[in-house]
Amino acid sequence: MKIYIAGKISGDKNYKRKFKKVEKKLKRKNHSVMNPAWIVSFPEFDRKNYMAVSKVMQKQCSATLFLSDWEDSKGARIEYENAKKLGQSIFFNIKDVQKVSKK
């Protein structure tokens, strides 16, 4: 399954480590991952630009995994609404994501 990770980024200095940890766990369960923390920040790109790229990443997936702090993030709340509109599977705990057989 292709899974997008959503959670608080702005204001969290450790967000890259937090997202990478979840990405590794999803990969160990044999899922493909879209991780918005891959996007490198540059001053020329504002939040609107960042959210546009994240939206395209999320749209490529069949599921979104929301980290425990997602409700503290305006962007992740928007991603929750997007997941519903896209008809994605929505997970709030990585334990609920089943391991799949390798292809």
Side-chain angles (χ1 to χ4, degrees):
M1 182 180 337
K2 295 186 284 185
I3 302 176
Y4 179 83
I5 304 169
K8 184 176 180 177
I9 290 178
S10 297
D12 182 347
K13 65 181 179 177
N14 295 314
Y15 77 91
K16 286 190 181 283
R17 183 176 11 189
K18 173 180 67 178
F19 276 70
K20 184 68 175 175
K21 183 178 176 181
V22 173
E23 176 185 342
K24 286 181 180 181
K25 288 180 180 181
L26 288 169
K27 286 180 177 180
R28 281 196 296 266
K29 291 184 174 208
N30 300 321
H31 294 286
S32 298
V33 180
M34 281 285 187
N35 179 349
W38 295 334
I39 302 170
V40 178
S41 298
F42 291 99
E44 295 83 9
F45 296 100
D46 62 15
R47 185 179 182 284
K48 182 178 176 183
N49 300 137
Y50 181 85
M51 287 301 297
V53 172
S54 296
K55 186 175 184 177
V56 173
M57 292 173 75
Q58 184 182 18
K59 190 174 183 179
Q60 303 311 306
C61 297
S62 54
T64 297
L65 171 64
F66 290 88
L67 303 182
S68 61
D69 60 1
W70 76 273
E71 290 180 292
D72 296 332
S73 166
K74 182 179 179 182
R77 291 192 308 269
I78 291 169
E79 290 167 334
Y80 177 73
E81 294 303 320
N82 290 340
K84 290 193 308 185
K85 288 177 189 172
L86 293 167
Q88 292 181 332
S89 297
I90 296 173
F91 299 100
F92 296 102
N93 190 320
I94 196 161
K95 292 177 183 178
D96 295 332
V97 179
Q98 299 298 312
K99 184 173 182 172
V100 295
S101 301
K102 286 189 176 184
K103 295 178 181 177

